[in-house]
């Protein structure tokens, strides 16, 4: 089922604060690696996800982070997802254990406009930035039927829930501290649709805005061409909170508030040569924003 081929529409997440620490993992960029993606090195993973079978891209509200905080909103920021099917287990870190099964992989990216990407190829710009960007990927959003309109608005959540979630994160990370800390409580307006328990918020390197994964995950091992794994990956809705804040160098006035946007993305565009997902009803489980103890043990935050 794996046959297509186009350079990946990439994406992102950024960290603007020196001295951030993280677990050991892929070197050279801030990526949360979960599920069976931990079985691959970065180069192998990126090679496979650069040839996606399905993609999705939406515009997101962003800022000119090449200027001092605060700056004006700018167009050109995008949030993207790539799905690649049938990644052979012979390409894992332990190829001697290969059994002929494959994995379906998903990568999520945040990508800046070209001029902002260029600005952060300069180490001094990274060292001197006054910005901080926190990103949270909700790993267990609902699955949507492939025919469902995909406009990035998280239609499975009420407008009040979305507003309350954004406000809660703005209040929690409103200072110049980094993005690592306990998430706010789940707003009552969200009911059982979302649960922020054990939710991970990340602050990631600004030089990742050139298209480095923000998040990577892979299915359980399966036979090549497995429709269940393919359907699950391409119907998965990924809610993502992006917070645009400041660090201590900004000297932000008291009462300042960061900007927070909740967006949802899905790999709804099937690449030529790949099979379309099977039709079916939307699966409306709760969007559990939780990486439980088991998944935390099998994940790496990479900086």
């Amino acid at each position: 089922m794996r046959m297509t081929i186009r350079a990946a529409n990439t994406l992102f997440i950024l960290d603007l604060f020196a001295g951030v620490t993280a677990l050991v993992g892929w070197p050279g960029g801030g990526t949360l690696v979960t599920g069976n993606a931990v079985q691959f090195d970065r180069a192998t993973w990126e090679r496979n996800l650069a040839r996606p079978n399905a993609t999705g891209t939406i515009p997101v509200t962003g800022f000119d982070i090449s200027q001092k905080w605060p700056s004006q909103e700018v167009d050109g920021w995008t949030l993207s997802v790539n799905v690649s099917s049938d990644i052979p287990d012979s390409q894992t870190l332990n190829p001697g254990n290969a059994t002929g099964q494959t994995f379906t992989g998903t990568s999520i990216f945040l990508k800046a406009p070209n001029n902002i990407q260029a600005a952060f190829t300069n180490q001094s710009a990274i060292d001197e930035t006054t910005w901080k960007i926190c990103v949270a990927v909700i790993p267990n959003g609902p699955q949507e039927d492939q025919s469902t309109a995909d406009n990035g608005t998280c239609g499975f959540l009420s407008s009040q829930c979305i507003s309350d979630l954004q406000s809660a994160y703005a209040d929690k990370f409103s200072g110049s501290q980094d993005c690592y800390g306990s998430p706010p409580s789940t707003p009552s307006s969200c009911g059982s649709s979302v649960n922020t328990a054990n939710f991970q918020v990340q602050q990631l390197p600004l030089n990742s805005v050139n298209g480095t994964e923000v998040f990577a995950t892979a299915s359980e091992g399966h036979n090549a061409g497995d429709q269940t794994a393919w359907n699950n990956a391409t119907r998965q809705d990924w809610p993502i909170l992006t917070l645009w804040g400041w660090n201590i160098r900004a000297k932000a006035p008291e009462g300042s508030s960061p900007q927070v946007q909740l967006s949802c993305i899905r790999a709804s565009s099937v690449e030529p040569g790949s099979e379309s997902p099977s039709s079916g009803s939307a699966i409306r489980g709760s969007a559990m924003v939780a990486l439980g103890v088991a998944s935390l043990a099998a994940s790496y935050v990479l900086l």
Side-chain angles (χ1 to χ4, degrees):
M1 185 163 113
R2 169 64 179 265
M3 323 254 114
T4 76
I5 325 223
R6 187 203 289 187
N9 278 19
T10 32
L11 286 235
F12 85 101
I13 299 188
L14 351 162
D15 155 34
L16 332 190
F17 201 71
V20 172
T21 60
L23 300 175
V24 175
W26 289 347
T31 305
L32 176 64
V33 184
T34 70
N36 280 301
V38 300
Q39 296 199 47
F40 297 86
D41 62 38
R42 179 184 285 280
T44 300
W45 183 264
E46 291 185 342
R47 184 173 64 250
N48 280 282
L49 271 293
R51 306 195 314 265
N53 298 96
T55 64
T57 300
I58 58 172
V60 293
T61 299
F63 292 82
D64 185 355
I65 60 173
S66 65
Q67 303 298 315
K68 290 184 177 181
W69 180 92
S71 66
Q72 72 275 18
E73 291 185 11
V74 293
D75 294 330
W77 285 89
T78 58
L79 187 61
S80 306
V81 59
N82 285 356
V83 170
S84 291
S85 63
D86 293 344
I87 303 172
D89 62 358
S90 60
Q91 296 184 17
T92 65
L93 293 168
N94 295 299
N97 295 331
T99 62
Q101 290 200 308
T102 64
F103 299 93
T104 297
T106 298
S107 282
I108 294 174
F109 316 80
L110 177 63
K111 190 173 183 180
N114 290 339
N115 64 312
I116 295 177
Q117 291 183 45
F120 288 98
T121 58
N122 184 334
Q123 185 61 43
S124 64
I126 297 172
D127 294 340
E128 297 169 7
T129 185
T130 55
W131 285 86
K132 123 187 130 184
I133 299 175
C134 307
V135 179
V137 177
I138 298 175
N140 295 319
Q143 293 188 350
E144 300 281 2
D145 185 83
Q146 198 67 11
S147 62
T148 302
D150 190 23
N151 55 12
T153 58
C154 305
F156 65 95
L157 296 174
S158 70
S159 58
Q160 189 62 57
C161 171
I162 292 172
S163 176
D164 291 346
L165 269 173
Q166 292 175 158
S167 295
Y169 277 80
D171 292 343
K172 177 70 178 182
F173 299 102
S174 60
S176 59
Q177 80 275 21
D178 62 31
C179 302
Y180 302 105
S182 300
S185 300
T186 304
S188 59
S189 58
C190 295
S192 61
S193 297
V194 72
N195 181 357
T196 59
N198 297 321
F199 185 56
Q200 289 191 335
V201 183
Q202 300 184 72
Q203 179 171 319
L204 301 164
L206 280 187
N207 56 3
S208 293
V209 295
N210 64 353
T212 300
E213 288 94 340
V214 174
F215 176 87
T217 192
S219 67
E220 294 297 319
H222 56 75
N223 293 330
D226 183 84
Q227 279 293 309
T228 299
W230 171 242
N231 288 342
N232 288 344
T234 53
R235 293 170 62 186
Q236 182 71 43
D237 216 345
W238 294 96
I240 298 167
L241 282 157
T242 307
L243 180 146
W244 306 82
W246 60 89
N247 62 34
I248 195 169
R249 288 184 289 273
K251 297 183 169 74
E254 193 72 28
S256 299
S257 182
Q259 297 292 316
V260 183
Q261 181 180 8
L262 178 66
S263 306
C264 286
I265 189 164
R266 179 164 51 91
S268 56
S269 178
V270 178
E271 296 293 290
S274 298
E275 297 179 32
S276 295
S278 302
S279 60
S281 307
I283 300 172
R284 290 282 185 185
S286 64
M288 297 292 292
V289 193
L291 294 177
V293 174
S295 65
L296 285 171
S299 65
Y300 299 99
V301 180
L302 311 168
L303 296 179

